[in-house]
């Protein structure tokens, strides 16, 4: 840690806060670490104590969203007793609440480039975190199953959780409902559908989720 000229302690959260404000205030991303540090009174050497580049800072913001979400969940003493389904629901609800608190920056960041795959590049670290989180849930669930055939494939489940997140992120970006209530519905339906698929009771929820997506797609068009 270090201190700026106004004796403000500089850490990764301080840098992230200044960076997000810079992006929104300037309606664009800084061209270099030097320019960003000069305008925010952050010593450049201190910046490099936490982030190696602007690109790593962009990724670090999403990693911080994840860790803040997990820390918030773990503060709930009842969370440890939740079922895996409820833990996943809690994660997505909490994570998208975090995104909503920072919606202006997130929308700007996800539309930085004209090519969507370049915008997703900043999510590489988050992808690892979400897949690891999902893998841990399914590992715990498999431990309670005595027969190998009844156990769920961890790579499939974790990759599915990541694809589910990308769907929900895209949905949330386009959600204009009050308090993003449609995103909450999408979270509930998608999580329940995935868990029902793994529990081999998928039909009703899959059809319900499909109808929901079709309705939303029709409204968008």
């Amino acid at each position: 840690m270090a201190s700026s000229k106004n004796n403000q302690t500089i850490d990764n959260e301080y840098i992230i806060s200044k960076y997000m404000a810079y992006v929104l205030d300037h309606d664009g991303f800084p061209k270099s670490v030097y320019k960003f540090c000069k305008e925010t009174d952050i010593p450049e050497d201190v910046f490099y104590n936490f982030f190696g580049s602007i690109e790593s800072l962009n990724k670090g913001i999403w990693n911080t969203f994840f860790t803040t979400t997990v820390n918030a969940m773990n503060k709930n003493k009842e969370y440890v007793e939740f079922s895996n389904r409820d833990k996943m629901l809690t994660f997505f609800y909490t994570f998208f609440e975090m995104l909503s608190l920072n919606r202006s920056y997130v929308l700007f960041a996800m539309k930085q480039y004209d090519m969507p795959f370049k915008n997703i590049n900043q999510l590489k670290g988050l992808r690892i975190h979400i897949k690891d989180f999902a893998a841990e849930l399914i590992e715990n669930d498999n431990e309670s199953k005595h027969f190998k055939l009844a156990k769920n494939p961890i790579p499939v489940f974790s990759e599915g959780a990541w694809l589910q997140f990308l769907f929900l992120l895209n949905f949330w970006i386009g959600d204009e409902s009050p308090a993003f209530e449609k995103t909450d519905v999408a979270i509930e339906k998608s999580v329940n559908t995935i868990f029902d698929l793994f529990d081999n009771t998928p039909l009703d929820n899959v059809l319900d989720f499909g109808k929901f997506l079709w309705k939303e797609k029709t409204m968008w068009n």
Side-chain angles (χ1 to χ4, degrees):
M1 293 186 183
S3 298
S4 61
K5 294 178 181 179
N6 58 3
N7 294 322
Q8 169 67 50
T9 299
I10 299 177
D11 54 16
N12 62 322
E13 292 183 0
Y14 177 83
I15 293 174
I16 286 174
S17 176
K18 285 291 186 179
Y19 180 80
M20 292 170 68
Y22 177 102
V23 169
L24 295 177
D25 289 342
H26 291 76
D27 198 28
F29 293 84
K31 301 297 183 181
S32 66
V33 172
Y34 169 80
K35 185 173 180 60
F36 167 66
C37 289
K38 182 177 181 180
E39 295 198 22
T40 54
D41 289 328
I42 296 174
E44 192 170 352
D45 61 327
V46 174
F47 176 95
Y48 287 120
N49 286 337
F50 299 96
F51 303 101
S53 64
I54 293 295
E55 182 180 356
S56 68
L57 174 52
N58 289 332
K59 295 175 182 177
I61 291 173
W62 290 91
N63 294 338
T64 298
F65 287 158
F66 177 86
T67 55
T68 302
T69 295
V70 172
N71 289 340
M73 293 191 303
N74 288 330
K75 287 181 180 179
N76 182 352
K77 295 180 180 179
E78 298 178 356
Y79 173 75
V80 68
E81 303 296 334
F82 286 0
S83 67
N84 289 333
R85 183 188 301 248
D86 287 339
K87 285 181 178 179
M88 184 64 80
L89 280 169
T90 301
F91 170 75
F92 279 127
Y93 284 140
T94 307
F95 192 89
F96 278 92
E97 183 178 350
M98 176 73 57
L99 293 191
S100 295
L101 292 173
N102 299 279
R103 185 172 174 85
S104 293
Y105 171 82
V106 173
L107 293 182
F108 197 93
M110 292 306 298
K111 297 176 181 178
Q112 180 179 2
Y113 301 103
D114 293 332
M115 293 176 286
F117 75 90
K118 292 191 68 175
N119 292 320
I120 294 178
N121 184 58
Q122 63 191 292
L123 306 181
K124 284 184 176 180
L126 177 63
R127 178 176 182 269
I128 295 173
H129 287 309
I130 289 181
K131 290 185 66 175
D132 286 348
F133 176 80
E136 183 177 354
L137 292 184
I138 204 64
E139 284 174 357
N140 293 337
D141 186 58
N142 283 342
E143 288 179 359
S144 64
K145 297 180 179 180
H146 300 291
F147 299 102
K148 185 175 181 179
L149 289 177
K151 296 186 177 187
N152 292 318
I154 294 174
V156 174
F157 184 87
S158 60
E159 188 64 34
W162 170 246
L163 295 177
Q164 179 185 13
F165 167 76
L166 290 180
F167 159 75
L168 291 171
L169 178 61
N170 185 63
F171 189 95
W172 173 82
I173 288 174
D175 188 2
E176 296 181 355
S177 63
F180 310 108
E181 57 190 23
K182 287 185 178 180
T183 297
D184 286 343
V185 173
I187 290 173
E188 179 182 8
K189 289 181 180 293
S190 65
V191 170
N192 284 332
T193 295
I194 286 180
F195 273 88
D196 284 346
L197 282 169
F198 278 101
D199 289 340
N200 297 314
T201 56
L203 187 57
D204 289 342
N205 271 350
V206 169
L207 291 176
D208 186 36
F209 186 46
K211 290 177 182 178
F212 172 78
L213 293 182
W214 177 256
K215 178 181 177 182
E216 291 302 315
K217 182 178 184 296
T218 301
M219 291 179 64
W220 292 340
N221 292 336

